[in-house]
Amino acid sequence: MGDTAQMEPFEPRHEPSSGELRNLYQAESQATRRKEARPGLWIAVVIYLLFSATDLILIPDVAAYTIMARFVVGVTALLTLEVQLRRGVGTGWLDMTCAAAIIFGYVGWLCPAVMGADKESVSYYMVFGTIFMMSANLFFTFRFKISIITSTIILCILYIVNYYVPSTITYKLVFGSFYISCFVFTSYVNWKLNEERYNVFLNALEARIQHKEATERGKALLRLSRTDPLTGLENRRAIDEKLRDYWSDWQKLGTGFVAILIDVDFFKKFNDCYGHQEGDRCLIQVANALSDLIKQYNGSIGRYGGEEFIVLARMEKKDQVTDLAEAICRAVESLAITHELRRDGVSIVTASVGAAFTRKQTGAKLEKIIHEADRALYLAKAGGRNCARLFDPTDPQSSDESENLAALLKIAIGQNLVSLVYQPIQDVASGKFEAVEALMRLKMLDGTLVPPSLFIPVAERTGAILELGRWAIKTVCTELLVDDHVRVVSVNVSPIQLKTPGFAASVATILGETGVTGNRLAFEITEGLEMEMHSDILRCISDLKVLGIRIWLDDFGTGFAGLSWLRLIDFDTVKIDRSFLHDCGTPKGMAMLQDIIALVRNRGHKILVEGVETDKQMALMREIGIDKVQGFRVGRPAPAANFQAKRPVQKRPFTVLKSA
C-alpha cells in the first residue's frame, strides 16, 4: 500500500508474432475440426454410397464390384474414425483418417470401374474423380497442407487413369486441362477459405482481448469506486454495503456483530502543525496498523471520512468487543507518531474508540448501531481521549449528560462555539419562501461538531438552555430580521424556557433592543416531550402571543400530549413530523397521514409538513392541500449569509408593552 491508492496499471499488451498467431489459430481450430470430423465423414460416406446408382447406369457390368468397394471403404473409414474418437486420438489423426478415406474411396471405386467393358463410358465417368478432389479442398476443413497433398494425390491418379484409359488425344488434352483447372480452382478457393477463417479468428481474438481488457478495467474502476484513494481501505460506500450485509445476517440469522468508530485524536492540530503531507502519512500508518489488526478478527475496516475509521466484525460476546476496542487503541498508540501540540500532555498520536454491539434493543434500523457507536465515541472523547467506550444504555456514563459537555456549554457563547443555520420553509400555494427555521450548531474546542441530539438534552438538564435560547433569539433578530432579509424566523423553544419566570419579558427586551416586531418571530414548541400542562407555561405562551409572536407546535404526532396541547393552545401552525410523510408509501401510512391532517385542519391551524425531500412528496403536498413544507426538497440548512440581502432597509420602530 503506497501513499495513495490508484488504479492498478495494465501491463502492455504482448503483440504475438505471425508464427505465434498461426500456432494459436491451429490450436483453436482443432476443436472445430474435431467437432466437424464425424458428421463430415458420415455425410461424405452417405453421398459416396448414393453414387452407386450412377454405377448401375454407366458401368452396369462392374457395378456390383464398385458398389461393394464403396461399402467396404465407407464402413472401414467410419469404423476407424469412431474408434479414434473413443480413444481420444489427436485431431491430426482424425484429419488423416478423413483424407485417407477420400483417397481410398476414389481408388477403391476406380479399380473395378476401369474394368468395365464400355471404355467410352468409363472414360467419361472418370470426370467424377474431380468430386474427390473438391471434397479434399472444400468439403472438409483440413489444414491447407493436408488438403493440397490429398487433392494432389487425386490429381496424379486422375492423370494416370487418363493416360491408360483408351481415348483420343483430344480427350486426353481436354480432360487433362479440366483436371488441372479443377485442382487450381479448388486449391485457390480452399486457400482463400483458410485465410478467411484465419482473419475471422484474428478479429475474434481481438474482440476477446478488448472484452477482457474492458472487463478488467471495469473491475478496476469498481474497485476504485469502493476504495479510499489515500489509505487504500474500503471507502464509506463499500463499508456501508457491508454494514447492510452484516445487519441482514443479524436480522435473519441472529449473527451478532460490532460496529466500531475510530477517531484520530486532535488530528486537525496535527495537520496544522506538520502539514497535510505528514497528515496523510499519519493516516496511512494508522490505516495499515488497524488493517493488520482487524485481519486477525476476520473483520472489515474502512475510512469513514476525514480522520475517522470504522470497523465491522462478527462477534457474539461483549468481552470480545471490549478486547478488540482496546486493542485498536493500543495499535495506534504503539505507532508512537510524534504529536507535540496536544493539550492533554500526551506527545504522540492516539485514537478514541466508540463501539456498539448488536442486542435485542438495538432497534429495527441499521443506522441505530452507528448512532450508538457515535455516542460511545463521543463519550470516549469527553472522557479524555485515547480510550475505548462500549455503548451501554444501562450505564450512566453512556447517557447524554456528561460533565465535559456541560462545561463546554458554559463557554460555548463566549468562545463562539455555538452558531445558527437556517432552513427555508416554503408556502405550497405560492411557491415562495415564507420563513426559515433557526437550527443551533455546537462545536468542540477542536472543531468537532456535536450533534444537537446530544447537547440539547444536556443544555436542558443543566439550565444552559436559558442562555443559549436568549442568544439564539437575539442572533436571529440581528442576522436576518433587523434588515428584513426574511419575513419570519422560527426558533425552537424548550419547555424549560417557557416555565422560567421572566422569559416573555426577556424576549420583549430583545425585540425592543433590535427594533423587530413580534410577528416576525415564531416559537416552535416540541410536543414530543412528556411535559405536564403547567399554568406558568400557558401564561408565558399567552404573554408571547400578546407580543405578536407566533406559536407553532413542532413534531406533532410523535409525543404524548398532542391533543391536549391542541385543545389548550391556539397554535398558528402545526408541524407534522417527517415520519408520517415517509411512511405514507403504504396504504396504512397514507391513511394515518390523512387522519392527522384532517384532525389539525378541523382545529383551524395551518399545517406544515417536515421532511419533504422529493418531487413526488411535493406533489402529494399540493394534492392534499398542505399550507407549508420544509425539507431538503425546499432547501438545506445554510448560514445567515446565504439569506442576507445586499440592500439596507430601515428599522421599524418598536415599543415594549408592559403589563400593568
Side-chain angles (χ1 to χ4, degrees), residues 265-266 342 344 352 379-387 389 404:
D265 296 328
F266 300 108
R342 293 180 57 146
D344 55 356
S352 299
L379 292 175
K381 292 180 179 180
R385 302 178 187 258
N386 191 24
C387 61
R389 291 288 184 270
N404 292 319

Side-chain angles (χ1 to χ4, degrees), residues 1-15:
M1 185 184 299
D3 286 352
T4 56
Q6 300 177 346
M7 186 186 298
E8 298 177 6
F10 291 104
E11 294 183 0
R13 184 196 295 185
H14 169 66
E15 296 293 341

Side-chain angles (χ1 to χ4, degrees), residues 258 260 262 290 293-294 296-297 311 313 315-332 353 355 357 387-390:
V258 61
I260 301 176
I262 306 153
L290 295 179
L293 173 65
I294 301 307
Q296 303 173 23
Y297 294 85
V311 169
M315 292 186 172
E316 300 295 337
K317 297 181 180 179
K318 184 177 178 181
D319 293 342
Q320 295 175 311
V321 178
T322 303
D323 291 343
L324 175 57
E326 292 177 351
I328 289 172
C329 285
R330 292 194 300 269
V332 177
V353 178
F357 184 59
C387 61
R389 291 288 184 270
L390 174 61

Side-chain angles (χ1 to χ4, degrees), residues 551-566:
I551 306 299
W552 293 4
L553 179 59
D554 194 17
D555 294 336
F556 179 73
T558 61
F560 305 90
L563 295 178
S564 298
W565 284 64
L566 286 179

Side-chain angles (χ1 to χ4, degrees), residues 38 68 79 84 109 123 136 167 183 212 255 259 275 317 397 417 424 516 566 578 591-592 594 638:
R38 172 182 281 158
M68 183 181 300
L79 289 176
Q84 289 177 324
W109 165 80
S123 63
S167 58
F183 173 79
K212 181 181 179 182
T255 306
K317 297 181 180 179
Q397 292 185 354
L417 300 177
V516 175
L566 286 179
R578 68 184 65 241
M592 178 69 74
Q594 291 175 337

Side-chain angles (χ1 to χ4, degrees), residues 450-463:
V450 182
S453 60
L454 290 182
F455 74 81
I456 293 297
V458 175
E460 289 182 332
R461 293 190 185 108
T462 59

Side-chain angles (χ1 to χ4, degrees), residues 49-79:
L49 295 177
L50 289 176
F51 266 94
S52 298
T54 58
D55 292 348
L56 293 171
I57 297 172
L58 297 177
I59 48 175
D61 53 330
V62 293
Y65 302 107
T66 58
I67 293 173
M68 183 181 300
R70 288 178 187 272
F71 274 93
V72 171
V73 173
V75 171
T76 301
L78 291 176
L79 289 176

Side-chain angles (χ1 to χ4, degrees), residues 574-587:
V574 174
K575 296 181 71 173
I576 296 176
D577 186 74
R578 68 184 65 241
S579 60
F580 295 99
L581 174 61
H582 293 173
D583 290 341
C584 70
T586 64

